[in-house]
Short mmCIF file of all heavy atoms in Angstrom, two decimals:
data_model
loop_
_atom_site.label_atom_id
_atom_site.label_comp_id
_atom_site.label_asym_id
_atom_site.label_seq_id
_atom_site.Cartn_x
_atom_site.Cartn_y
_atom_site.Cartn_z
N VAL N 1 17.51 -20.94 -2.94
CA VAL N 1 16.12 -21.40 -3.06
C VAL N 1 15.40 -21.24 -1.74
O VAL N 1 15.95 -21.51 -0.63
CB VAL N 1 16.07 -22.86 -3.46
CG1 VAL N 1 14.60 -23.41 -3.45
CG2 VAL N 1 16.67 -23.05 -4.86
N SER N 2 14.17 -20.81 -1.79
CA SER N 2 13.32 -20.69 -0.58
C SER N 2 11.96 -21.35 -0.85
O SER N 2 11.35 -21.18 -1.91
CB SER N 2 13.02 -19.16 -0.29
OG SER N 2 12.25 -19.07 0.86
N VAL N 3 11.50 -22.10 0.09
CA VAL N 3 10.22 -22.79 0.04
C VAL N 3 9.28 -22.20 1.03
O VAL N 3 9.64 -22.06 2.24
CB VAL N 3 10.39 -24.33 0.23
CG1 VAL N 3 9.04 -25.03 0.14
CG2 VAL N 3 11.37 -24.88 -0.71
N GLY N 4 8.10 -21.88 0.59
CA GLY N 4 7.09 -21.27 1.53
C GLY N 4 5.78 -22.02 1.49
O GLY N 4 5.54 -22.94 0.73
N THR N 5 4.86 -21.50 2.30
CA THR N 5 3.51 -22.08 2.38
C THR N 5 2.69 -21.49 1.24
O THR N 5 1.92 -20.55 1.46
CB THR N 5 2.88 -21.78 3.76
OG1 THR N 5 3.76 -22.26 4.72
CG2 THR N 5 1.55 -22.49 3.92
N GLY N 6 2.92 -21.97 0.06
CA GLY N 6 2.22 -21.45 -1.11
C GLY N 6 3.04 -20.35 -1.76
O GLY N 6 3.94 -19.73 -1.15
N GLY N 7 2.77 -20.06 -3.03
CA GLY N 7 3.45 -18.98 -3.75
C GLY N 7 3.18 -17.64 -3.09
O GLY N 7 4.03 -16.76 -3.11
N LYS N 8 2.03 -17.48 -2.46
CA LYS N 8 1.71 -16.19 -1.85
C LYS N 8 2.70 -15.83 -0.73
O LYS N 8 3.09 -14.67 -0.62
CB LYS N 8 0.24 -16.20 -1.25
CG LYS N 8 -0.18 -14.88 -0.71
CD LYS N 8 -1.62 -14.98 -0.23
CE LYS N 8 -2.64 -15.05 -1.35
NZ LYS N 8 -4.01 -14.89 -0.90
N GLN N 9 3.16 -16.84 -0.02
CA GLN N 9 4.13 -16.53 1.05
C GLN N 9 5.48 -16.12 0.46
O GLN N 9 6.19 -15.26 1.00
CB GLN N 9 4.33 -17.69 2.02
CG GLN N 9 5.23 -17.33 3.16
CD GLN N 9 5.37 -18.36 4.25
OE1 GLN N 9 5.21 -19.52 3.98
NE2 GLN N 9 5.65 -17.89 5.45
N ILE N 10 5.85 -16.67 -0.70
CA ILE N 10 7.10 -16.30 -1.32
C ILE N 10 7.03 -14.88 -1.74
O ILE N 10 7.96 -14.07 -1.44
CB ILE N 10 7.39 -17.22 -2.55
CG1 ILE N 10 7.52 -18.67 -2.14
CG2 ILE N 10 8.65 -16.72 -3.30
CD1 ILE N 10 8.73 -18.95 -1.21
N LEU N 11 5.92 -14.44 -2.34
CA LEU N 11 5.75 -13.08 -2.75
C LEU N 11 5.72 -12.15 -1.51
O LEU N 11 6.34 -11.08 -1.45
CB LEU N 11 4.46 -12.92 -3.52
CG LEU N 11 4.37 -13.64 -4.84
CD1 LEU N 11 2.91 -13.74 -5.28
CD2 LEU N 11 5.19 -12.95 -5.85
N PHE N 12 4.98 -12.57 -0.51
CA PHE N 12 4.89 -11.78 0.76
C PHE N 12 6.22 -11.61 1.39
O PHE N 12 6.60 -10.51 1.74
CB PHE N 12 3.92 -12.55 1.70
CG PHE N 12 3.63 -11.82 3.00
CD1 PHE N 12 2.52 -11.04 3.07
CD2 PHE N 12 4.49 -12.07 4.07
CE1 PHE N 12 2.25 -10.35 4.31
CE2 PHE N 12 4.17 -11.37 5.28
CZ PHE N 12 3.11 -10.53 5.42
N ASN N 13 7.00 -12.69 1.56
CA ASN N 13 8.34 -12.60 2.16
C ASN N 13 9.23 -11.67 1.41
O ASN N 13 9.94 -10.86 1.99
CB ASN N 13 8.93 -13.99 2.28
CG ASN N 13 8.33 -14.89 3.33
OD1 ASN N 13 7.56 -14.42 4.11
ND2 ASN N 13 8.68 -16.12 3.31
N ALA N 14 9.24 -11.79 0.04
CA ALA N 14 10.17 -11.04 -0.78
C ALA N 14 9.83 -9.52 -0.62
O ALA N 14 10.79 -8.67 -0.47
CB ALA N 14 10.07 -11.44 -2.24
N LEU N 15 8.56 -9.16 -0.66
CA LEU N 15 8.20 -7.75 -0.62
C LEU N 15 8.34 -7.18 0.76
O LEU N 15 8.84 -6.10 0.93
CB LEU N 15 6.77 -7.59 -1.18
CG LEU N 15 6.63 -7.89 -2.68
CD1 LEU N 15 5.17 -7.90 -3.10
CD2 LEU N 15 7.40 -6.85 -3.51
N LEU N 16 7.92 -7.95 1.78
CA LEU N 16 8.04 -7.45 3.16
C LEU N 16 9.50 -7.34 3.55
O LEU N 16 9.85 -6.42 4.33
CB LEU N 16 7.33 -8.40 4.10
CG LEU N 16 5.87 -8.06 4.51
CD1 LEU N 16 5.82 -6.82 5.43
CD2 LEU N 16 5.00 -7.87 3.28
N ALA N 17 10.36 -8.11 3.02
CA ALA N 17 11.75 -8.11 3.37
C ALA N 17 12.59 -6.97 2.67
O ALA N 17 13.69 -6.74 3.06
CB ALA N 17 12.39 -9.48 3.05
N THR N 18 11.99 -6.41 1.61
CA THR N 18 12.72 -5.46 0.79
C THR N 18 12.10 -4.10 0.64
O THR N 18 12.78 -3.11 0.38
CB THR N 18 12.98 -5.98 -0.63
OG1 THR N 18 11.69 -6.31 -1.23
CG2 THR N 18 13.84 -7.32 -0.53
N VAL N 19 10.81 -3.95 0.76
CA VAL N 19 10.13 -2.71 0.47
C VAL N 19 10.06 -1.78 1.68
O VAL N 19 9.66 -2.22 2.79
CB VAL N 19 8.66 -3.03 -0.06
CG1 VAL N 19 7.91 -1.70 -0.18
CG2 VAL N 19 8.70 -3.68 -1.42
N ASN N 20 10.49 -0.54 1.46
CA ASN N 20 10.50 0.46 2.49
C ASN N 20 9.38 1.50 2.16
O ASN N 20 8.93 1.60 1.00
CB ASN N 20 11.83 1.23 2.58
CG ASN N 20 12.91 0.34 3.12
OD1 ASN N 20 12.77 -0.29 4.13
ND2 ASN N 20 14.08 0.24 2.34
N PRO N 21 8.94 2.28 3.14
CA PRO N 21 7.88 3.28 2.87
C PRO N 21 8.34 4.20 1.74
O PRO N 21 9.46 4.71 1.74
CB PRO N 21 7.75 4.03 4.23
CG PRO N 21 8.14 2.95 5.24
CD PRO N 21 9.21 2.15 4.61
N GLY N 22 7.46 4.40 0.78
CA GLY N 22 7.78 5.21 -0.35
C GLY N 22 8.34 4.50 -1.56
O GLY N 22 8.37 5.07 -2.70
N ASP N 23 8.78 3.26 -1.36
CA ASP N 23 9.26 2.53 -2.55
C ASP N 23 8.09 2.19 -3.46
O ASP N 23 7.00 1.88 -3.05
CB ASP N 23 9.87 1.19 -2.08
CG ASP N 23 11.24 1.33 -1.47
OD1 ASP N 23 11.87 2.43 -1.62
OD2 ASP N 23 11.74 0.36 -0.82
N GLU N 24 8.36 2.24 -4.77
CA GLU N 24 7.35 1.98 -5.74
C GLU N 24 7.51 0.55 -6.34
O GLU N 24 8.65 0.14 -6.52
CB GLU N 24 7.39 2.98 -6.87
CG GLU N 24 7.10 4.42 -6.39
CD GLU N 24 7.20 5.48 -7.47
OE1 GLU N 24 7.68 5.12 -8.56
OE2 GLU N 24 6.83 6.65 -7.20
N VAL N 25 6.37 -0.08 -6.59
CA VAL N 25 6.37 -1.40 -7.18
C VAL N 25 5.46 -1.36 -8.39
O VAL N 25 4.25 -1.10 -8.26
CB VAL N 25 5.92 -2.50 -6.21
CG1 VAL N 25 5.88 -3.86 -6.87
CG2 VAL N 25 6.85 -2.54 -4.98
#
């Protein structure tokens, strides 16, 4: 479990921590 400053930070952390240049979402 991870708690962040709003849902936006959870999304931000997940994507910034995993997405590399060229990855598609």
Side-chain angles (χ1 to χ4, degrees):
V1 174
S2 181
V3 181
T5 306
K8 187 177 286 188
Q9 185 173 29
I10 298 297
L11 296 164
F12 183 93
N13 286 351
L15 293 171
L16 265 287
T18 59
V19 172
N20 292 308
D23 285 347
E24 295 176 353
V25 178

